[in-house]
Amino acid sequence: MKIAIIGGGIGGLCAAVTLQKQGFSVQVYEASPTFQPVGAGIGIGSNALQALMEIGVGEEIFANGHALHQQVFLDTYGNTLNTIDLTVLKELYGQENITIHRSDLHKIFLKALKPDTLHFNKKYISVEQNDNQVTVYFEDGTTVTADMLIAADGIHSSIRQQLLPGSVTRYAGYTCWRGITENNGRVDEYTSSEYWATQGRFGMAPMKNGLIYWFACINTTARNPQFQKLTAPEIGDIFDHLPKVVHNIITTTPLERILHHDLSDIKPLRQFV
């Protein structure tokens, strides 16, 4: 069986590595001209890491990640609301819960692919299917025919919207900043924390090589001009109602390491294939 995957992000490459390990012929088509190491941090649960071990990439992912032993939820004043003991999950699944930089995770999947699997500059235009095969049309005038097509082109998937016109994105009601900066002893080495307050939410987690990943979210209208292109001190001021460590982490993050996006989702689908 020949399988075409549209989208060379984490999801698309993970699918490709998994399917190749199972003996399928897989090709991945990515719209970008080159590999782009973007993003901030991501958490990988112990059950997910167990699955990644089974497809042959788990050891390298673990080596590039940082283990977490607990997750703590705090209120506006830093009082503990709840604690999750992540070591219990390690006992269940035999694997740690880890954090890792998204670009490192992406690179590991990329390296695990068979040669000549990933094709760049392949912007999807449309798809046609008959009883037996699928044909994909790209902007450069080329076509690809496969037995199966997997759409891994993200929440704004053109393929999904073509097949399921009602599956448009919807604004989730909040905007979010994410960043990576030096820890310098501000975050416990093995603890992920989140502050929950009516004015906003802030999370932080340690990463490998003395770094920390953080996110900061507030409810607001979509594309609110008030929150576009803020400096690190301006973002920090929005969350100055939280303990001082939050403001300190945000304001000491280099601006080039801060990402800002309005967040969206899609209404749950009745049909996936």
Side-chain angles (χ1 to χ4, degrees), residues 104-131:
D104 290 337
L105 180 62
H106 200 174
K107 289 174 187 175
I108 292 168
F109 284 129
L110 187 63
K111 189 171 72 173
L113 290 175
K114 291 182 179 180
D116 303 318
T117 296
L118 181 58
H119 307 274
F120 292 106
N121 275 318
K122 291 294 181 181
K123 186 174 181 180
Y124 164 90
I125 295 297
S126 63
V127 59
E128 293 179 355
Q129 62 178 330
N130 56 32
D131 291 339

Side-chain angles (χ1 to χ4, degrees), residues 4-112:
I5 298 177
I6 305 299
I10 290 172
L13 296 191
C14 182
V17 171
T18 306
L19 291 164
Q20 285 183 342
K21 183 177 175 63
Q22 294 175 350
F24 292 100
S25 173
V26 182
Q27 297 292 305
V28 181
Y29 302 92
E30 166 59 37
S32 300
T34 60
F35 169 73
Q36 298 178 339
V38 296
I42 187 172
I44 298 179
S46 54
N47 52 346
L49 189 57
Q50 183 185 45
L52 293 168
M53 291 287 181
E54 293 177 6
I55 65 171
V57 294
E59 293 289 351
E60 188 170 1
I61 289 172
F62 179 73
N64 282 270
H66 181 85
L68 296 176
H69 294 169
Q70 67 174 350
Q71 184 168 11
V72 179
F73 299 90
L74 309 154
D75 67 10
T76 307
Y77 309 103
N79 300 312
T80 301
L81 298 171
N82 195 17
T83 300
I84 299 175
D85 183 357
L86 300 176
T87 62
V88 173
L89 297 175
K90 182 185 178 182
E91 293 173 5
L92 287 173
Y93 297 105
Q95 302 294 341
E96 300 274 11
N97 286 260
I98 67 168
T99 56
I100 189 172
H101 198 294
R102 285 179 178 268
S103 65
D104 290 337
L105 180 62
H106 200 174
K107 289 174 187 175
I108 292 168
F109 284 129
L110 187 63
K111 189 171 72 173

Side-chain angles (χ1 to χ4, degrees), residues 212-234:
I212 52 175
Y213 159 64
W214 60 265
F215 68 86
C217 301
I218 57 168
N219 292 98
T220 184
T221 55
R223 297 178 296 279
N224 187 334
Q226 178 183 352
F227 301 118
Q228 306 300 315
K229 298 181 179 180
L230 297 183
T231 64
E234 289 171 335

Side-chain angles (χ1 to χ4, degrees), residues 188-249:
D188 181 83
E189 187 178 2
Y190 301 106
T191 302
S192 170
S193 303
E194 289 189 22
Y195 290 93
W196 288 10
T198 55
Q199 304 96 320
R201 184 160 60 99
F202 182 87
M204 54 191 180
M207 297 179 68
K208 192 178 176 67
N209 298 323
L211 298 175
I212 52 175
Y213 159 64
W214 60 265
F215 68 86
C217 301
I218 57 168
N219 292 98
T220 184
T221 55
R223 297 178 296 279
N224 187 334
Q226 178 183 352
F227 301 118
Q228 306 300 315
K229 298 181 179 180
L230 297 183
T231 64
E234 289 171 335
I235 300 167
D237 288 345
I238 296 173
F239 297 89
D240 62 2
H241 57 281
L242 296 175
K244 291 182 180 180
V245 64
V246 171
H247 187 274
N248 184 258
I249 287 172

